[in-house]
Structures are given as structure tokens and as C-alpha cells.
Amino acid sequence: MNESLITDAPMTITVDDYISVRERTTDLASPLTIEDHIPQPVYFASPPKWHLAHTTWFFEQMVLKEHVANYEEFHPEFSFYFNSYYNTLGARTLRADRGSITRPGVEEVYAYRKHVDSAMKSFVSEPEQVTTEIAELIILGLNHEQQHQELMVTDFKYAFALNHVGPVYHPEADFAGKIEKQPAGWIQMEEGVYEIGFEGKGFHFDNEQGRHKVYLHSFAIAETLVTNGEFIQFIEDGGYQRHELWLDEGWSWVQQNEISHPMYWVKEEGKWFRYTLAGYKEVNPDEMLCHVSFYEANAFAQWKGMRLPTEFEWEAASNHFNWGERWEWTNSAYLAYPQFKIAEGAVGEYNGKFMINQMVLRGASCATAPGHSRNTYRNFFHPQYQWQYSGIRLAKSI
Amino acid sequence: MNESLITDAPMTITVDDYISVRERTTDLASPLTIEDHIPQPVYFASPPKWHLAHTTWFFEQMVLKEHVANYEEFHPEFSFYFNSYYNTLGARTLRADRGSITRPGVEEVYAYRKHVDSAMKSFVSEPEQVTTEIAELIILGLNHEQQHQELMVTDFKYAFALNHVGPVYHPEADFAGKIEKQPAGWIQMEEGVYEIGFEGKGFHFDNEQGRHKVYLHSFAIAETLVTNGEFIQFIEDGGYQRHELWLDEGWSWVQQNEISHPMYWVKEEGKWFRYTLAGYKEVNPDEMLCHVSFYEANAFAQWKGMRLPTEFEWEAASNHFNWGERWEWTNSAYLAYPQFKIAEGAVGEYNGKFMINQMVLRGASCATAPGHSRNTYRNFFHPQYQWQYSGIRLAKSI
Amino acid sequence: MNESLITDAPMTITVDDYISVRERTTDLASPLTIEDHIPQPVYFASPPKWHLAHTTWFFEQMVLKEHVANYEEFHPEFSFYFNSYYNTLGARTLRADRGSITRPGVEEVYAYRKHVDSAMKSFVSEPEQVTTEIAELIILGLNHEQQHQELMVTDFKYAFALNHVGPVYHPEADFAGKIEKQPAGWIQMEEGVYEIGFEGKGFHFDNEQGRHKVYLHSFAIAETLVTNGEFIQFIEDGGYQRHELWLDEGWSWVQQNEISHPMYWVKEEGKWFRYTLAGYKEVNPDEMLCHVSFYEANAFAQWKGMRLPTEFEWEAASNHFNWGERWEWTNSAYLAYPQFKIAEGAVGEYNGKFMINQMVLRGASCATAPGHSRNTYRNFFHPQYQWQYSGIRLAKSI
Amino acid sequence: MNESLITDAPMTITVDDYISVRERTTDLASPLTIEDHIPQPVYFASPPKWHLAHTTWFFEQMVLKEHVANYEEFHPEFSFYFNSYYNTLGARTLRADRGSITRPGVEEVYAYRKHVDSAMKSFVSEPEQVTTEIAELIILGLNHEQQHQELMVTDFKYAFALNHVGPVYHPEADFAGKIEKQPAGWIQMEEGVYEIGFEGKGFHFDNEQGRHKVYLHSFAIAETLVTNGEFIQFIEDGGYQRHELWLDEGWSWVQQNEISHPMYWVKEEGKWFRYTLAGYKEVNPDEMLCHVSFYEANAFAQWKGMRLPTEFEWEAASNHFNWGERWEWTNSAYLAYPQFKIAEGAVGEYNGKFMINQMVLRGASCATAPGHSRNTYRNFFHPQYQWQYSGIRLAKSI
């Protein structure tokens, strides 16, 4: 997910909360070698080193430099390297070159994390300093870090997959997601006005804010996600060769990139295998499909004579099914809610800037940080991207 | 607009109706030289010759060859040249090469039109032959032709504008659109459920079909369109240099293409001029802005502290203002209505295939065929395109 | 060929000479429809209309406007349209857009030719006006026009070939070039110093000027050109699939463009056909191979265990074999001769600017103007281009 | 330089020779952090890790696996990773992804070097095993490694330069090259036949083999290289803005890449600085110009009213001047010598494959391995590349 930030949640923050999120990031990176921290395998990914530093930069820049009197900056150059918000042409070039920047080194980045964490722990441990506003900022920073945790995992998976030996990150990280019941049952939803968007007092991002009414016509939505087995039927029925199943730009994408299966799949001697962070595994037909683009999700639904749910349908029905293993593509474009406002200042600067050409994904995935998911959460990616842990839930009008 | 077709309108068709639409196409082309019929100035445009033939192909292929017993095809190759629906890789190449195909020649294409028109007139003049279903097909063909009339105009305008002398197509074709009242007044719209989509018995396209309920929160929408003068203020306030006003991909578009003004504008000795089909004209600040992309429309709205309306807001309020001079960008992505279904067979084959990465425009333009506009009509283009007669109407939440 | 100009040949010019060359251009264009004059099928080609006008512009600009007192320019804008020498970024865009410029129209361009020819004929018919220097300039203009005659033919052939019906330009224009004797005999050439470059008093281009000594080691060169039949053997032996036969960049070219045969060849039901300006013809194994790139020529030579001659070897041996049907790729890069000097002023401005990344072709082709060929003539194209009438003559070191 | 290999030099090889070259590679890499070993900053560069491993692979693959009975391969996958000679489309992708392959890690690559070196030392220390043929192969491997030493330095310099702090590799590695005498004196060379190419018994590459005669006309060549100061005059005289000084494709390169100075130069507050491996240094006008492309070298010569020497002129005159600090662009394309033959088998497979579209550089540079330079050595790069230590020596015909 690209970065969309901030909220108005009135909350408090404890040192334990802070540490817990911060340590999860370094825990995730702990199986990585120093070398693994460096590559940017494709322009839309970032190196693990960058994720580790950029999330830290947030606390230094937004909290410590703003609110801690004698805070000593770790290194004046870090702000240049690890701030994602340079929007001039020159700095864009920099983004594509993230994988070429080897200094500061990995060890220095971990020292940077320690330096900032130490200052943050001191700061947070004195509650009188931490106003509600500052607490909200810190909580935003932690949520921002959780987003980068997931991106970091999917980004280094992308790099690992280019290595033909299929490096093992962790022996249990295959994220198979077995589905017992097939075919999926259907949940019937009645026509009417539904309330959509975040409500309450917990943390949420600004793009899910603004609880509002949406009118939905009756529809049905699948209880379970599409399995590998179902998708293999699509492949074997010529799904990737039948242009009538695809959106026009989806078909171009298939042709130009010679797409013929979900990302990370390979066929050897008649059997499908998939690269996972636990190494190559044979594809199990009863497990959850993963790593498909919106184009593939939409073509599959077309092939089934169904469709994808809108994000509003998904949210309205979300209490009736299990979710959280795969980001679920919806047939909604990522656009503003009626009351959406761009927040003032640096934190809010970029909230709405991604609201074009991207589709909303709902739910969460096996790679999402614990406690980071909500049924009002709006994730978004371009329709051609496959490298997130994305899957398919079908819907139909009734 | 790309092509989305068909409907269920129960209607009759007369020879006069048919002739009227068909003649408007050749009337529009009558100021063109033979040479003007050939170029395809950019991959998303088509040569006038192709528009003239492709619209004719529709009647030959869908009506005459299907429903007229002894119809003699004009030329067996024409179906290959003038059918837009070849979706294999090879044939896509053909699309980019439309401007290189000089044979059949222009005269032969006009003969093709006459041949088909003659057969069509005979056919239509015997009402017992024309079932309701066939009448609907012919009406669809006429609406299809009206869409291509507008595209033909914008496509040859694109080619003419590459010619630095600024060819005059017609001395009155400057489409200025004077706006007397400035600043615009505001129409207040109340919160509630609105009915959206086509209803009734007349012709409509499938993408506007399926009258359905939408819940709108209260909003205000401008009575009039943005003027050249207002947009010049945006330019002079550094609008094209301030990245915070732009969507992220809009900003990339501005940078990479060095965009600094609406399409067809040039500045000479401190004055803005615009290329029109009546030649170069000085930009009048009281006239309607034209030829802006969605990105520009959105950045302008951001600069005003407002936003674009959604297509639903636009439709709900459309009886309260004048429209029809400019296609008005909305902040809605082009997606399916709840009951949208892809029609069976060749006519319906491609209805929904463009429902990705495009934004909806509402209204109609100075180049739209008379009688071709409805307040439920959904036009759609990619957010970077400027070559249609597109303008801006502002909105705000209240 | 790109344009390299001028010379020091002391000569006279008659009205008949002038007319003869000028009429050949319009004769070549006479089978073209108005429409055929417009397309620019690929960025390195130009529309026939442009060739017709650009060659005329030379005489107006360089001769009439400079040397005829009361010459009245045909149209002030023509210089902008039909001068190839705009080297700013904007004007480069213009080059790619040549096929979109429909005005001035074809008829006007022919009128332009008549206007200039009339003035030129008056001027040339009064010998006292035509100094030696001016005569040289006119002769240069005629040679320039002859170069464009050949380019015009190969450019409209490129466009015609995109049209799947294979338009017939002239029923005798298949340029087959039958070779009776196979395999080719070999001409043995002795080691020693050879004189290379133009000598004498006739017309020649500056790039062939500067007769100079070159030391050649002994070699043999084929008496005849490679036939279609020999090249089919190469194809059938997997020539296009064996990377070891190709230069590294040639192999990339083959892969990226999926090249598997000479340009304009198609295989249908097991038989090879080639598009010619006389329409599709079955490939005759005894005829001369045509439309191959340097990469293909070099790979073929490699496959035969031989090599291409250098341009110096070719010139030294050229009196011992027949040439003139195909431009013959040499293994020499297009670079300056020892005494090469860039001429002063507009005419000479661009003489040496193409001396990078191109390979020399020697001889002439079936499409070369009569009297335009010399054994010192240096033609040059990029190694990937196939659209000239190019063939292969083998050589080997002995 | 791309890789062109092998020779027929009858030689012996000692353990000390072997160690000396091999240790220089690791010495050069010793200031690099682990992170520095990973990036591939641009598609034509390679990561230091890859250079370290690829040079080692040569000895394992060509010597140990072929000629040592019980040699135990270090790791079966290394051949896949570190062999540059995969020429299918898939494997080309791999080349662009070299910077994303983090495993095997840097430490493992050094272990690979030790493993191979240990086996090689044992092997070489028993002279009866090392036939002349094998000795030649080892010497070829050492020369291959020396080539990669220079590429490794220029490749990591490219990556370092993307880092805006300008990392210091070694405080003395600024390679300034002071020139005392200005302007350069001229060496006059007489017309006649010269012998060109390698002669004798030492090591040489196949592309310089085949001593042969070349006829040269009289010329003068500069005693010293062009200085920074001279090149600043070119800049200040508008050299980068005057298209008449540039080859046509050079001008396109300047325009499209917005080139306005040698690579690694920046101007701050009116002063020129250059990034060096010793960090940023102010440009000293008396030092040797460096990091220019052939296009820049040629334009500069044009501006001076002179030209670049051919590689034959350079070699013929090379005993009369000092060389070795900068690779000197010549006006010769990289093509085969008269007797050039592609060697049999894997070693020779790729000797001639780069002989297209590249220009020859002569001499050697500050980054060339000691003992690796000869006046017959032919280096070659595409005319747009600046990242080698390349400079300019002027010539003129007399």
C-alpha cells in the first residue's frame, strides 16, 4: 500500500505499545542477511534497509524534532535519504536508485533505530509530555510502520523470487491458507442504506474516515475465497487466452507481459509449484489462491459468470464471513469518501494524492501486522500488481 | 469516448432518421481535403477515413448481412479494415497503423457509404421487415455513428494542431462558450436517496442502464463552468509548479510531458492564444475553459479549496444548471452500475471492457451530435487526455 | 540513405539534364493516389509528398532565392515544412509528425514543383547566369533528388506492405534479379596498396572525396550475390535460432523483434512469398536475396564460414564483378576519409553528422536512379534496417 | 570494456603471478562494505560481488573442472549465477537483475575465491601438469580478471556517485593527472605503410592479433591530453548548445539526457566540482579531463577545428607520447582486423560478437591494472558512455 496517513483518534500510548510494534519490524528483518537489506528489485518496491530507516525517520522528524527539547538528531543526512516525500523530478530519480545507496550501512540503520527508540521511550514514559495530539501522532507512526512491515515482506519476497534457488526466509512462511469447504456458500444481503466508513474512537486512517450512508442493492457474496484448484480450472479452460474474459487493458497486460499464471507460480513436469518465503511448494488445490492482480481477479469472476464485490458491499457483509488471509480485490476505484479532507501540514500532505488509477482491496493478509486490520480499512493498488498477498472473493447481484 | 453499445429501447426508425444522422457525418467531413482524411496523429486517435468507414461497416455487418436476403457486400476486405474489434496482438499493431493504410481510398469509402445507405434506405422503408429488435439495432448504429462524429472532429483537430499554420476547418468552429455570470452561483443539494441511471423508453447505452438508488450527502455544485480567466489565475499562481495541488500521477504527467497550460494554448508576446477549428484565437477570459485533462481539473479544484462532483451528484443536480458545451470531468471512476450485464453476442461483446482506469465525464460538448445527449449519459476517458472538449464544474461538500 | 551533400566537380548543366531528373521523380510518383502521398509509416521514413516537396525546396532555397534577382517565392511557409534541417527538439517532433501534416495538399506540392521548375528552366537556359559554382550547386540538387527518389520508393513500399492486400504499384516492379550461376565463383585480389575514393571531374559526394591509399591484404570476393535459395538454407538450418552466428546486438534485435526471415517475406502453406511493388510473388530460389539487415548479412556470412568485404576491398575489386541490383552491406563503419572536411555554409552543414553507428553499403540497387551510381559511392544505414533493397556479397581472407 | 578473450601466446605461469593478480582484485574491494558489493546501479554495470565471483568462475570452469582430476566444485549453482554467457532472453533478464541476487552472500563469494585459489595454487605449483595450452588459459583468465578489476572500479564509482554525500573510497583515488605543458605540442607523422597489431610472444587478446599493414596519410597528433580548463572553455563557448558541433546522434543524446558537462561534474556557486573516489574535488583546469563520451570528445575536436585520431594513427604514433592515464577515444569503429578468426569452443565463443556500434579507445587508464596495458590494446565502448576513465587526445591531417 502506498502511504495514506493520520486520523483524529483520541488515544493514549504506552512504551510497551511502542516497543511492540517497533520490535516486530526488526523481528521480521532478523532472518535477512546484510546483503538482503539492499536490493530494490523493481521500481515500485523498496529495500528492507529503507523500510527500516524510513519508519524510524517518521518518529524522529514528526515527534522528536518537533516535541523534544534537546533531542539530538542521529545524522543530518538521514532525512534526505529516508524521507519518501520528495516530489521533484530529481528526487524521483532517487526513488528508483534506492537500491544503489549503500551508505549509511545496515548496521548504522539499526543504530539509528536504537537511537530513536531510546529517545522515544524516554519521551513516551513521561505521560505529561505526551498530549493527546502527540499520542495520536505516535500512534499514526506505529500504524505507518505496520504498513511498511507488510510492504517490506512483499518487497523482499519479490527480490528473493528472482533468485532461482528460491531462498528460504522462514520454514513456516508459506502462508497456504487451507479452505475446507468448497464450493463456497453464499451470504445474501438485502437492499437498503448501509453505513460505511470508520466510526468510534480507535485508530483509523483518514481515507476510511467520515462514516456515511451508501445505498446497496441486494447481492450475494461468497463465504470463502477462491482456491488454487478453482483457479487451475480457469487456467486449464484457457482463461489466459480468451480475450472476452478480460478488461481491455487487462488483456494488453496479459499479452505484453506474457502472463499465464499467478505470480510466483512455475510449472515443472506437469505440476504447479509456487515460490513462498518457505521455499518452493507444490500448489495445493484446496488452499487459498494468492498473488493475483485485479485483472486476473476480474477475468476469473467473468469466467464464473459473477463479479467482484464493491468495497461497500464487502464492508456491509464483512461480519458474515472470515477475512484476513488475503487482501481481497474489490470492484471499487480508490476515491475520496464524501467528507474527505486533506489534513493540514506535513503529515497530511499526501493523504489523497494516490486517489487515481488504483483499485481498493479490503480485508488484510497473512502478512499484515496483528491488530492492524479493520473491516473499514481501505488498501489500494494498481490493477496490474500481483506482488501483494492478494486473493479473490466472488459476488453476484441477486 | 470509447465504444460502449446497445440498449433495450423499444423504438421505431424512419428513413429520415437514418439519413439525418448519416448525412451529418459527411457534412462534418465536407471541409476536409482528401489528404485530411488519412492521418492518425496519435495512437489513440483514428483517421477521418476510418471513422467514415467504420460507422458504415456497422450497418453492413450488423444489419444488412444479417437481415437482408440478397444483400451484396460492397467489398469483402472492408470488414478487415474497418472493424475495430480485433483483439489479437497482430491486429493491435494494425490499429497503430491505421494512418498508413491508403487503400481503399477516400472516394471508395464514400462509395461504400452510398452503397450501404442505399441498401439501408430500401430496407428501412419497408416497415414490415424492420422488427423492433432490428430497429433497436439500427438506432444503436446511429448512436454509435454520433459518437464517432465527435471523435472524428477531435481527432482531426489533433492532427490540424500539429500543423503550425493552424488550418481553418470552419470560420465559426471556435466553440468559445461565453459565460456571462461570474463567479458562479451555487446550487445546494440535500442529503438523501437519489435515483440514478436511465429510465424510460428512449435510446440509451447499456452502461447508463439499470436505474438504481444512490445515497448522496448534501453538497453544492456550481451553476456555471470554469472560465479561461479563472484558469489563467491558476496558471499565474504557479498552479503547474505546485506539486501539492496534484495527484501523484498527475504530477508525474505534468513533469514528464512538460505541461504548463491547457491543450492547444500558446503564449505569444505575453498573450495566450488557443488553436480552434476556426484558427488561432486570442483567449478570452470570459469564455469557457476547454481541453483540460482530469488531472488539471482536479488540481484546479484543489487550488480553489473545492473538488469535482461525483457523477451521481452531477446527475442528481443536472436539472438545475445548463450543460452541453463541455464534457465535465467528474470524480467518479468508470465502473459498472449494480445491475450491469454484458450483452450476448457481437454487439454486446465489448460493453464493459473499458471499465478500468478511466474517469467519467458527464454532460456533452459543442462537438456532440444534436439529440445525442442525456443527463444519464456516461462518457469516459483516461485522466491524462486533453483532446476532447472537456471542462470543469466545481463542487463542494456542505 | 541519409543526406550527405556537395562536391567540387567542375561541370555544366543543361535544361534537359534538369528536366530529366525532375520528371523521373514525378514519374515514380505517378501510380500513387493522393492518399498514398500522405503516410509516414515509421519514424525513419518520410511521406512521398514530403520527398516531392523537399527536393524542390532545395532548388528554391539554394539556387533561386540566392541567385535569381526577382524570384518570387512560391509560399513562405514551405521552407518550414520541407526543410529537413531543423535540429532543435521541437522540430524533431515535427519529423515524426510528417505524416500528419496534410496542408499544403498534394496538388499544391505539384504546383510548387511546376513553379520552381519553370523558374529553374528559365534560369538554366541562360548560361551566362550559371557560373560553375551555381552549376555545381544545381548538379548537387539533382543528385540529392535522385537519392530521395530511391528513398521515396522504399518508404512507400514500407507503407504499402502494412496493407494486407499487398497493393500493386507497378506490375513489373518486383525487382527479382535472377542469378544464373551458382555457386558464385571467386575473384582473388592481391595484397598491396590500393587507391580508394573518387578521382576525376564528375559529380561525387563529399564523403567519397579525397582519393587516398589503403593497404589491403589478399582476399577473395564472390562474383555474384547471395540468392534466396542460399538464404532459405540458412533459415532451415536454424540460422535465426543460433545465437553463436550473430553479433551480440544483432541477436538482441532478432529476439526483441521476433525476426525470422528477410523483410516482406511471409510463409503460407509451406511456401515463402515476398511482398514486392508488383504484389506478392512466390520466392524464387535462383533470384537475388533482398531486404536483409547488416545483422542478417553478417550472420549469414558467419554461417558460411566467411565474412563480408570491407568497403575498401569492395571498391578495389569492383571492376571484376557486376553490381547495381542490391546495395551490398560491407563490414566497414561509415567514417571519414583521411582528408574529409566539412564544407562551409548551409549546403555543407550536415555532411559528416551521420558518421557514427552506421555501416557502409556499396554498389547501387534496382531502385537507384540511372546514372546515379559509382563504384566509389558510399551509402550508409544502421545495421538493423531492412527496408532498402539490400543484399549480400561474401568475401574471405586468403 | 566488454569481454573479448584469448590468444596464442606461448608462456609459462607461476604461483606468484597468479596470486599477484588475484590479490589485486580483493585489495581493490577491501575498502568496500558488504553493502557496497551488492548494487547494480545501471544495466550496463555489474555489482562488485559479481565481478569477484565471475572472475573466479573462469578458473573453476575453464581450468579446474577441465584439467584437475579430483577437483571438487565449490557449489553447483555458482556456475549459473556467475557465468556471463547466457544468451537466451530469460537469462538477459537475469543480467538486469544481478543487483537483486543477494545469495550466495559476500562472505561466501570470498570463500569461493579462497577455494578456487587454493586449488589453483596447488595446480600451478606442479609445472608438469601445466601444459603450454593450460598456461595460456590461466594467463587469459588473469587478463580477464584485470579487465574486470577496472570495470569493478568504474561500476562502484557509478553507484557511489548516486549517493549525494559522495562516499570516499580512498583518499588518494582522485586520479587527477596534472598536465604541466599547455597547449600541447604536436607530433608530426609521415605518410606511409605502418605495421599495426600485436607482434611477439607475450599475452595479447585475439582482437589485437594479426599484425598487418595499414597505409596512413600524414597527420599530427597532440603530445598531451585535453585538460579540464580547455573543456571548460568549450562549455563556456556554448559547446553543449551548438548542434553544428555534434554528430546527429550525439546531439540527440545531449538533448534527451540533458547533458551539459562531463560525467560526475556539478557546479555549485559558480565553481565546478567533480565526484572522485576520493570524494568531491574542485575541478583543476590544469588536470586531465575525464569521463567524457565519444560524442563529447568528437564535438570538442570539432570545436577546435581538429579531429580525433584513428586507432591506427594512435598506435603508429604511440611511442612518441605518454599514455596510460585516460582511455583515449579514437575515430575508429571496433571491427575485425584482416586475419581475425573466432576461436573454437567456449573460450573463443564470444570474441567478435561485440564488433558493431562501438568505438575503439586506446591507451589505458589510471584504473587499469599494472602490466595490463599495451600500445596494441583495443578497448571499446558505445559512443554515449562516460563512466570509464576516458579522455581526449586531438589529431589533425597535415
Side-chain angles (χ1 to χ4, degrees), chain B residues 118-374:
Chain B
S118 169
M120 283 294 295
K121 285 188 279 190
S122 299
F123 179 65
V124 170
S125 65
E126 300 185 44
E128 67 280 6
Q129 294 185 93
V130 185
T131 63
T132 299
E133 193 189 2
I134 297 176
E136 285 171 9
L137 200 56
I138 295 170
I139 291 168
L140 174 62
L142 295 174
N143 277 273
H144 172 247
E145 180 138 356
Q146 289 174 315
Q147 292 184 308
H148 278 280
Q149 286 169 358
E150 181 156 5
L151 286 172
M152 184 173 74
V153 170
T154 52
D155 288 356
F156 68 63
K157 181 172 181 180
Y158 193 110
F160 279 167
L162 294 174
N163 192 328
H164 84 293
V165 296
V168 173
Y169 161 77
H170 190 284
E172 289 172 16
D174 70 343
F175 302 129
K178 187 135 189 198
I179 292 177
E180 300 300 343
K181 185 187 165 195
Q182 280 183 258
W186 291 90
I187 298 150
Q188 313 286 326
M189 296 292 291
E190 304 228 328
E191 180 173 346
V193 174
Y194 290 83
E195 298 269 329
I196 295 294
F198 186 80
E199 192 181 42
K201 290 188 181 300
F203 174 82
H204 57 281
F205 284 104
D206 64 344
N207 61 14
E208 59 190 295
Q209 197 170 333
R211 183 81 160 176
H212 64 286
K213 297 193 177 72
V214 167
Y215 197 97
L216 297 179
H217 289 257
S218 57
F219 68 99
I221 190 165
E223 280 180 323
T224 57
L225 295 181
V226 168
T227 63
N228 291 327
E230 291 174 288
F231 203 81
I232 287 171
Q233 288 173 29
F234 168 79
I235 295 174
E236 293 178 349
D237 195 38
Y240 283 100
Q241 287 81 48
R242 292 166 54 185
H243 67 82
E244 71 275 14
L245 299 174
W246 296 81
L247 289 164
D248 188 58
E249 298 187 10
W251 184 243
S252 296
W253 172 78
V254 163
Q255 298 281 309
Q256 286 169 17
N257 300 284
E258 299 180 14
I259 307 289
S260 59
H261 52 72
M263 197 173 190
Y264 302 137
W265 284 31
V266 288
K267 202 172 194 173
E268 283 191 9
E269 297 174 16
K271 285 183 186 167
W272 285 110
F273 294 83
R274 61 191 181 97
Y275 173 66
T276 80
L277 286 174
Y280 277 97
K281 303 284 176 185
E282 190 172 344
V283 170
N284 179 339
D286 295 335
E287 292 172 349
M288 284 176 187
L289 176 67
C290 198
H291 291 303
V292 287
S293 69
F294 173 84
Y295 291 131
E296 288 164 301
N298 196 70
F300 178 83
Q302 190 74 13
W303 175 73
K304 294 288 275 190
M306 301 178 192
R307 59 176 177 80
L308 301 177
T310 66
E311 64 167 320
F312 311 109
E313 290 172 340
W314 190 96
E315 186 172 326
S318 60
N319 291 331
H320 303 293
F321 52 74
N322 293 321
W323 53 268
E325 292 292 313
R326 297 288 181 266
W327 285 106
E328 305 181 15
W329 286 108
T330 73
N331 197 31
S332 293
Y334 179 52
L335 292 167
Y337 280 177
Q339 304 297 327
F340 179 76
K341 282 253 170 62
I342 292 182
E344 296 284 319
V347 168
E349 185 180 353
Y350 295 96
N351 290 312
K353 70 188 287 194
F354 299 111
M355 291 180 171
I356 192 71
N357 291 335
Q358 307 207 42
M359 299 303 281
V360 173
L361 300 98
R362 290 301 194 98
S365 89
C366 47
T368 307
H372 188 69
S373 55
R374 288 176 297 286

